[in-house]
Amino acid sequence: MTRRLWIETVGCQMNVLDSELVVAALRRQGWELAAAPDAADAVFYNTCSVRQHAEDKIYSALGRIRGVKAKRPDVVVGVLGCMAQKDQDLVRRRAPWVDLVVGPGQLHQVPALVEEVIAGGGPRIEVSLDRRGNPRDAIARSFESYDPDRDPAMRPTPFQAFVRTQTGCDKFCAFCVVPHVRGPEQARPPATIVAEARKLVAEGCREITLIGQTVNSYRWADGGRTTRLADLLVLLDGIDGLDRIKFVTNYPRDMTDDLIAAVRDLPKVCHYLHVPAQHGSDAVLARMRRGYTIGEYLEMLGRVREAIPAAAVTSDFIVGYCGETDAEFQATLDLVKTAGFKNSFIFKYSPRPGTKAFDRLPDDVPEEAKKERNRLLLEAQEEASLAGNRRFVGTRQQVLVEGLSSRDEKREVDPGPDGLAQLAGRTMCDRIVVFDAPLRLVGRLVDVEILAAGAWSLAGVVADGLAAAVPLEALRLTGEESPEVHAIAPPPVRPTGV
Ligand code: SAH
């Protein structure tokens, strides 16, 4: 009998990839995806710990699943990923109906663990060693990279895929829980990454996004040779059939000249760099232990702009960090008004147990002030994004067509393969473009004439189909692509966002 799985994913691209891999492994064992949690034999939550809000969402989802578990005690309830690593047995103390608690370093065990629970061997908690008080080698071994064979059906779209370059993080920014829950930074060998990319391309993939917590810190040393991210990009750029390469997230200090030159010179590498500044004030950056000053960040930005004037640079910001004064916040606001970021992800500071900021700095900015600063910064970014996007009106851009726009997806439009729908795709510099075109263009590269700009998207017409151009008023532009949602959200492991 086929067993059915329901999985909900919150958080970053790393989690989206992890869910894809867990689902693929279970499908190989005969599992299928369920249409709803109450029709599932196993319900998994792939979790995020980066902010309290993401954890609260999971605990309330666990509250909701309790009723299902009461009616059908055989349903396997699993908490996977970062919150499992962070909270460990606390998960079961708060929700004793959970059968499986599995950290990011143990995901390869999920298929076997589910069988054990079904056979009556649960509950099970499998997590990695704590980064405090254990030898580094042993800790690293306990965080195993999980990159088994892929299942094309499980990807965000059949023609786009994430590929992991490294697991973990060693930056230890004072606010951030990631190094604690995802363990030490460990690179995957370049040959493995390239082989995975080739396989994905053979399966029809056209765009690959390399992912690592600080992807541009990538370093692999082998027999006296060191491979850095720039070298890896050269190898990937040579893969026939691959059209586009992106990589996220970058750490400002590791944005070296060789990497910038690789982005400039390699035809398949997108001119899109996510390099979070986090804050505009040196004093706050020091309290965050980010390891650079704003002057150094701007110097890096200058090198990027000089080499690739049209590159889209994006950032993350934290507002209301410990001790943030009005003047310090103003420095962030000024940075957003002047730096020309394509967009920014803005977060209110959320204290995370286990981090240096949690242990040593009071969370002393009132919630109301955090909210107001969040609003002001978003407003400034929206203005900057609109100004940036307006420069594209009247240009022709190559777009990789991803699917229905969020408007037509919401309306559940189904025009058939040849009927017009509002489609969405992205330019080489990661700008969202919407245009009316037949669905059969999905997965293809098309040239689009840009006719109008909103803050979060551009609108246009397919260049070689100008005769079929739709009137401009038919294209809706207002910020329906929320800047807080990361680009690619796959059915059926759609991340619910944090
Ligand atoms: N290593 C990646 C991902 C970190 S989490 C990176 O450097 O981008 C993604 C973003 O969440 C961070 O860039 C930061 O802006 C935000 N973030 C991390 N910890 C946070 C916290 N405790 N409170 C609020 N936002 C946080």
Side-chain angles (χ1 to χ4, degrees):
M1 200 188 64
T2 309
R3 287 178 301 197
R4 296 192 188 280
L5 168 73
W6 176 264
I7 184 162
E8 278 179 34
T9 306
V10 294
C12 63
Q13 290 98 332
M14 207 54 101
N15 275 8
V16 174
L17 175 60
D18 282 340
S19 288
E20 176 192 328
L21 299 176
V22 165
V23 172
L26 285 169
R27 274 161 67 103
R28 273 195 291 278
Q29 303 215 352
W31 287 72
E32 288 298 336
L33 288 169
D38 49 12
D41 303 292
V43 177
F44 290 167
Y45 301 94
N46 193 5
T47 61
C48 172
S49 281
V50 107
R51 283 170 290 279
Q52 185 62 42
H53 179 60
E55 297 191 348
D56 293 345
K57 272 178 91 154
I58 296 299
Y59 280 113
S60 42
L62 287 174
R64 288 194 299 276
I65 205 68
R66 183 182 194 171
V68 174
K69 181 81 174 167
K71 266 185 257 151
R72 292 193 293 123
D74 290 347
V75 176
V76 181
V77 177
V79 172
L80 316 182
C82 294
M83 213 178 92
Q85 180 63 36
K86 174 177 158 288
D87 282 2
Q88 307 193 357
D89 44 359
L90 176 65
V91 174
R92 280 193 30 85
R93 270 185 275 140
R94 289 186 61 175
W97 52 94
V98 169
D99 301 292
L100 273 181
V101 177
V102 185
Q106 285 68 37
L107 294 178
H108 56 285
Q109 297 180 30
V110 166
L113 290 169
V114 179
E115 294 306 325
E116 284 174 39
V117 171
I118 289 172
R124 293 288 299 271
I125 299 184
E126 295 293 339
V127 291
S128 299
L129 293 177
D130 202 310
R131 280 196 83 164
R132 292 182 185 177
N134 286 298
R136 183 182 159 106
D137 273 4
I139 299 167
R141 273 197 306 277
S142 80
F143 280 93
E144 220 175 285
S145 180
Y146 182 52
D147 300 278
D149 262 1
R150 312 280 294 254
D151 179 340
M154 285 303 108
R155 288 207 296 275
T157 68
F159 47 88
Q160 296 173 301
F162 295 126
V163 173
R164 207 186 317 261
T165 53
Q166 70 250 71
T167 57
C169 183
D170 286 339
K171 295 292 191 274
F172 287 100
C173 302
F175 52 81
C176 191
V177 79
V178 170
H180 307 278
V181 293
R182 286 205 174 259
E185 185 175 319
Q186 303 185 72
R188 296 176 73 205
T192 310
I193 296 169
V194 173
E196 188 174 350
R198 280 190 195 286
K199 189 160 180 286
L200 287 162
V201 170
E203 290 166 358
C205 194
R206 305 188 72 167
E207 176 185 282
I208 275 171
T209 302
L210 302 175
I211 55 174
Q213 293 301 332
T214 54
V215 66
N216 60 340
S217 314
Y218 180 84
R219 176 187 284 272
W220 177 267
D222 200 359
R225 265 195 63 193
T226 302
T227 307
R228 307 287 319 252
L229 183 60
D231 309 312
L232 197 55
L233 291 175
V234 171
L235 297 174
L236 294 166
D237 197 75
I239 298 180
D240 280 342
L242 182 63
D243 292 319
R244 287 185 172 186
I245 306 164
K246 299 180 184 176
F247 54 93
V248 288
T249 293
N250 293 285
Y251 181 63
R253 268 178 56 174
D254 291 330
M255 195 51 83
T256 49
D257 285 339
D258 64 326
L259 178 57
I260 295 172
V263 176
R264 181 195 58 201
D265 298 338
L266 296 170
K268 296 177 184 174
V269 178
C270 290
H271 291 175
Y272 158 57
L273 297 169
H274 184 55
V275 201
Q278 307 294 1
H279 210 277
S281 141
D282 283 344
V284 178
L285 288 172
R287 293 206 290 285
M288 289 179 163
R289 296 180 177 242
R290 283 289 286 177
Y292 54 84
T293 62
I294 205 62
E296 286 164 336
Y297 185 90
L298 291 173
E299 184 273 331
M300 177 280 301
L301 194 59
R303 281 187 288 120
V304 170
R305 299 261 192 249
E306 196 183 325
I308 321 163
V313 179
T314 62
S315 179
D316 292 349
F317 288 101
I318 295 178
V319 296
Y321 186 62
C322 313
E324 186 190 62
T325 63
D326 284 337
E328 285 169 343
F329 171 67
Q330 187 62 43
T332 299
L333 204 53
D334 291 344
L335 179 63
V336 164
K337 285 181 180 169
T338 54
F341 295 118
K342 181 189 71 122
N343 64 266
S344 295
F345 299 96
I346 299 163
F347 307 105
K348 291 178 289 173
Y349 173 60
S350 169
R352 305 284 63 214
T355 61
K356 288 223 164 56
F358 182 88
D359 290 343
R360 299 183 190 170
L361 300 170
D363 172 27
D364 53 3
V365 176
E367 181 60 24
E368 274 314 305
K370 286 183 185 173
K371 268 196 195 146
E372 178 59 6
R373 289 173 186 179
N374 191 100
R375 192 188 65 75
L376 289 169
L377 198 57
L378 193 58
E379 201 176 82
Q381 180 59 61
E382 188 166 346
E383 221 169 277
S385 295
L386 182 60
N389 275 352
R390 284 205 171 122
R391 289 176 306 150
F392 287 81
V393 175
T395 66
R396 180 180 282 216
Q397 299 291 319
Q398 186 203 56
V399 172
L400 178 62
V401 188
E402 292 183 2
L404 286 178
S405 69
S406 51
R407 186 198 75 184
D408 276 10
E409 200 175 332
K410 255 179 248 147
R411 292 181 183 169
E412 298 183 17
V413 167
D414 181 10
D418 293 319
L420 288 189
Q422 192 187 64
L423 304 186
R426 281 174 195 261
T427 65
M428 273 295 267
C429 56
D430 201 56
R431 286 182 159 82
I432 295 167
V433 182
V434 297
F435 49 93
D436 283 15
L439 270 182
R440 62 185 146 74
L441 292 190
V442 171
R444 288 178 45 187
L445 290 168
V446 296
D447 280 347
V448 177
E449 301 277 353
I450 305 301
L451 299 177
W456 315 126
S457 59
L458 305 169
V461 289
V462 177
D464 46 15
L466 283 175
V470 283
L472 195 53
E473 35 311 350
L475 304 171
R476 229 187 53 191
L477 279 176
T478 46
E480 53 194 10
E481 308 284 351
S482 154
E484 286 247 354
V485 177
H486 276 286
I488 310 157
V493 284
R494 177 178 291 283
T496 45
V498 285

